[in-house]
Amino acid sequence: MGKRVGMEVSIAAAEMVGLCDVDVIAAYPITPQTHIVEHLSELVADGHLDAEFIPVESEHSAMSTCVGAAAAGARTFTSTSSQGYALMAEICYIASSLRLPIVMAVVNRALSAPISIWNDHADLMMSRDTGWIQTVAENGQEVVDLLLHAFRVAEDHRVLLPAIVNLDGFTLSHMIEPVLLPDEDEVKRYLPPYRPRLRLDPEKPMTFGPVGMPEVYTEVKKAQDEAFKASYPVIVETWDEFAKVFGRRYRPVETYKSEDADVIILTMGSTSETAMTAVDKMRAEGKKVGLVRLRLWRPFPFDELYQALKGAGAVAVMDRAMGFSGGAGPVCTEVKACLYDRAFYPYIQNYVAGLGGRDITVENFEEIHDKLVASMKRGDPMGYEIINVRE
Amino acid sequence: MGIAAEALKDFNGFNPKKLPEGEPLSPGHRACQGCGEILALRQVMKALGSNVIVASATGCMEIVTSPFPQTAWRVPWIHVAFENAAAVISGVESAYKVLNRKGRIHQPDVVFLAYAGDGGTADIGLQALSGALERGHNFVYVCLDNEAYMNTGIQRSSATPYGAMTTTSPPGKKSIGQRTWKKNVAAIAAAHGIPYVATASPAYALDLMNKVKKAAMVPGPAYLHIYSPCPTGWRYPTDLTVEVARLAVQSKVFPLYEVIDGQWILSRKIAKPKPVSEYLKLQRRFRHLTETEIERIQARVDAEYEELLKRCVTPEKEGKASKETEE
């Protein structure tokens, strides 16, 4: 049986990776990811985890080393944040194109300049087109559960794609929370030993990563895209199986008091818990407001999100990153794309908040709600606004 | 006795009359005629055999051997990016270590090879190489040095020699060509305190293959800097590759040596060196150089060779180490 522990979320994440019997961990320290890899290095140093911990000289080499290890048939993990993630990004594209089931925890943090070690989703958005499966955790329990699920889904032979679990820096990664940590037997029941489909093996030589001439490049990308789309039902299916083993059920989109809501607030990540408090408060005041949270960011849950939003009159989409498209933040862009070809879609406004570690409060969500309702009444065009700016 | 000396105490060199027949790097690749790099790589692979995993950097040798759906590799081979061959092989080597330890595979004797050109080694890949050497992975790293970014069209690198013409170090009214002296990556690798470092040339095939074999036998990292003439980039006729490579050694431009457990050993002492001008004049990339500049290069080559002699504790007699290949 698993146990309920009070634990810093980063430490719980590292414990979960250890329970997954990972073979190779290559990592470089970067705030606020550090506690995860520090604790993994301790688990290896103390003999609790039989793995190779490779303290590389950069995040670029961290992902490069993970690619080599995964191609050689090892279960492979790394973790990063922000600037380090940006340095790593070149190889992230290659890891997904080579169909290597690497698992990574990204502890989300703002991107420079100015330098900020605090949380927002700039790094998450930077990597949105790298071809990795990406989930976004709300709390410590989800971090742990999504990591276990990430190995399971990435290594599924119908998928074979790398997977990221995103968690907010500091506001989630450094919190001490009660977490149900499974035991080894439970993990084994859910996560079979890693059996690579192809690997670098002198007994069966194969060429990995050859040159793609114009005659083949497009076809390779199409094949990658098809594999990516095909991962969606497997993600859902393996979450359903997770529910059978652990009793906790996950879906790509989570809803809270949204079924009968006139106004929906849409969030991603740990602010959703604050948003729930705000929804409760506003409901008590008679406002028909609900919450929809994206748990799965890539592949994007188009149909499920539409089902969650279609009954509402208006949606406030919260972004925690700048899009610099001039039209909307990155989450809102996806939401609008999701709704564009539907027969009916709600009125949408986009609110950018919580950049570079600025707190997002219950009052902010109330402000968003009121702004949205006022905009709709005035008939404002659907745009975006950065809220909580000191003028 | 050091780690490398211990591992090499029963070393048996290749026999010139009976070389390995296997060609892990097959014919039918797309290298240019007279390519010194593919010749060197072929010798490397003959020496290593087929129980090997290869990580390739981006560069000529990646492009010419792997255009999908063809491959010239009869051994497992992976290419990831330009600057990370040493990091990729770190992961492969570590995976084999842990999978063998956990009993999931039983392949304890696989050799791990990473190779890159001089751009991928001396410039963009230097950090990943340094990291992998410092961490002590058991692998062989080969720099195939053709002294410029040949694959992208002959641009200068930090391994391009002084005075050479490249497309980004063109000679002109205000330029001599390459303005800096060649970066000494073998010495940088040796400064990491790794067990085995060597320089080699495809013109001295047995010497090269023996060094590759030693590099593979030594536990921990081994670095080989292999001189790889490029007729396309250096502008010499394609039948002169071996001659250019041999002249580089005979003129002391590219001396052959080993660093075993930190001890520098000259592979062949050049007692009667050929003038550097003889080497330079074979190649049109140096055609613009004046007599004064050639004298300057000669002085530098002499000085560097003297420095090397001072470092070497047991200089061999001329021709001894690679006598067979000379003949």
Side-chain angles (χ1 to χ4, degrees), chain A residues 271 274-275 278 318 358-367 388:
Chain A
T271 47
T274 313
M318 177 179 274
R358 180 146 310 169
D359 282 342
I360 300 177
T361 61
V362 170
E363 290 72 34
N364 289 150
F365 284 108
E366 292 178 290
E367 181 190 344
N388 201 9

Side-chain angles (χ1 to χ4, degrees), chain A residues 283-329:
Chain A
R283 281 270 175 180
E285 293 161 4
K287 295 170 185 165
K288 282 182 83 177
V289 55
L291 175 73
V292 169
R293 173 168 73 95
L294 284 166
R295 180 180 281 120
L296 181 65
W297 170 239
R298 284 291 187 269
F300 195 80
F302 291 100
D303 288 330
E304 195 154 340
L305 183 67
Y306 176 66
Q307 294 305 322
L309 297 182
K310 68 177 182 186
V315 178
V317 179
M318 177 179 274
D319 259 292
R320 299 202 70 186
M322 297 300 295
F324 298 118
S325 73

Side-chain angles (χ1 to χ4, degrees), chain B residues 12 30 42 98 105 111 113 130 132 149 163 170 191 194 239 243 246 255 292:
Chain B
N12 278 319
R30 299 176 180 193
R42 179 190 167 200
V98 63
I105 59 172
V111 174
L113 170 74
S130 177
Y149 289 84
I194 60 172
D239 59 338
E243 195 166 335
R246 191 181 293 128
T292 319

Side-chain angles (χ1 to χ4, degrees), chain B:
Chain B
M1 198 182 273
I3 293 173
E6 176 71 29
L8 297 173
K9 67 181 191 300
D10 300 321
F11 176 76
N12 278 319
F14 286 102
N15 184 337
K17 289 179 183 149
K18 200 183 171 197
L19 287 170
E21 285 176 14
E23 297 283 359
L25 174 61
S26 81
H29 52 71
R30 299 176 180 193
C32 304
Q33 275 194 21
C35 171
E37 199 172 354
I38 198 90
L39 177 61
L41 190 56
R42 179 190 167 200
Q43 293 171 4
V44 169
M45 296 314 300
K46 268 182 106 65
L48 287 177
S50 54
N51 194 22
V52 57
I53 297 176
V54 182
S56 170
T58 310
C60 293
M61 291 304 98
E62 172 248 345
I63 298 291
V64 303
T65 61
S66 82
F68 186 87
Q70 295 165 336
T71 179
W73 292 93
R74 290 171 173 148
V75 292
W77 178 95
I78 182 167
H79 163 260
V80 180
F82 192 2
E83 65 282 57
N84 64 354
V88 172
I89 209 72
S90 299
V92 175
E93 186 255 4
S94 300
Y96 265 74
K97 201 193 288 180
V98 63
L99 295 178
N100 273 307
R101 188 169 70 226
K102 288 181 172 178
R104 299 233 298 275
I105 59 172
H106 302 282
Q107 295 170 290
D109 302 318
V110 176
V111 174
F112 306 99
L113 170 74
Y115 70 82
D118 50 297
T121 302
D123 293 342
I124 196 169
L126 189 61
Q127 176 183 306
L129 171 62
S130 177
L133 296 180
E134 178 266 326
R135 292 190 301 271
H137 297 281
N138 184 22
F139 74 114
V140 179
Y141 187 96
V142 168
C143 172
L144 296 159
D145 180 7
N146 58 20
E147 303 193 325
Y149 289 84
M150 298 306 179
N151 184 46
T152 36
I154 322 170
Q155 295 86 13
R156 60 85 71 187
S157 79
S158 60
T160 301
Y162 175 82
M165 174 201 70
T166 74
T167 55
T168 52
S169 64
K173 281 179 189 163
K174 295 182 177 179
S175 169
I176 182 66
Q178 173 85 345
R179 288 181 292 110
T180 54
W181 298 90
K182 186 181 178 74
K183 190 188 274 185
N184 189 344
V185 187
I188 293 169
H192 287 74
I194 60 172
Y196 189 82
V197 174
T199 61
S201 161
Y204 299 86
L206 265 194
D207 178 71
L208 183 148
M209 289 176 65
N210 283 332
K211 284 169 173 168
V212 171
K213 192 174 177 184
K214 287 182 190 177
M217 285 171 72
V218 166
Y223 177 85
L224 280 157
H225 198 94
I226 303 185
Y227 184 84
S228 307
C230 172
T232 312
W234 298 7
R235 311 287 163 96
Y236 65 80
T238 54
D239 59 338
L240 292 186
T241 292
V242 173
E243 195 166 335
V244 168
R246 191 181 293 128
L247 260 175
V249 174
Q250 290 172 340
S251 62
K252 304 187 294 189
V253 166
F254 190 84
L256 301 180
Y257 58 87
E258 293 173 295
V259 188
I260 301 179
D261 297 319
Q263 292 213 316
W264 293 59
I265 302 153
L266 210 58
S267 304
R268 48 192 311 108
K269 191 169 182 196
I270 311 297
K272 291 176 192 159
K274 300 256 171 82
V276 171
S277 59
E278 205 174 305
Y279 165 76
L280 298 176
K281 279 176 181 166
L282 274 186
Q283 307 165 51
R284 278 204 293 143
R285 64 174 173 157
F286 296 116
R287 183 170 62 170
H288 58 282
L289 295 180
T290 60
E291 285 304 316
T292 319
E293 288 296 346
I294 291 173
E295 280 167 27
R296 201 168 165 218
I297 293 169
Q298 179 72 59
R300 173 88 178 198
V301 165
D302 291 343
E304 281 185 354
Y305 194 75
E306 285 307 309
E307 279 302 309
L308 179 63
L309 284 185
K310 278 187 225 163
R311 277 179 169 172
C312 290
V313 285
T314 51
E316 305 268 345
K317 286 185 180 155
E318 181 172 14
K320 185 189 162 199
S322 307
K323 203 176 168 198
E324 303 92 338
T325 42
E326 192 73 24
E327 287 159 6

Side-chain angles (χ1 to χ4, degrees), chain A residues 100-213:
Chain A
L100 299 172
I102 298 160
V103 170
M104 172 157 72
V106 176
V107 186
N108 300 122
R109 168 187 150 185
L111 283 168
S112 297
I115 189 165
S116 163
I117 61 165
W118 294 276
N119 167 239
D120 69 27
H121 287 173
D123 58 0
L124 193 164
M125 293 307 157
M126 171 200 71
S127 69
R128 67 193 166 167
D129 298 329
T130 51
W132 287 55
I133 292 166
Q134 296 203 44
T135 54
V136 188
E138 179 181 71
N139 54 37
Q141 190 63 53
E142 263 196 43
V143 171
V144 164
D145 292 350
L146 293 179
L147 277 168
L148 176 56
H149 173 259
F151 282 108
R152 168 74 190 262
V153 76
E155 293 171 4
D156 191 306
H157 282 196
R158 295 168 292 174
V159 177
L160 292 175
L161 287 167
I164 287 166
V165 176
N166 288 285
L167 62 150
D168 286 324
F170 294 118
T171 54
L172 181 52
S173 65
H174 285 52
M175 292 299 113
I176 293 171
E177 291 189 4
V179 174
L180 273 167
L181 213 54
D183 63 26
E184 271 179 49
D185 289 338
E186 283 174 313
V187 170
K188 276 184 188 149
R189 261 201 290 155
Y190 182 66
L191 180 66
Y194 176 39
R195 304 237 182 276
R197 195 156 150 251
L198 305 170
R199 70 180 194 100
L200 293 165
D201 178 3
E203 287 165 16
K204 201 180 172 193
M206 251 174 258
T207 293
F208 284 53
V211 175
M213 306 298 269

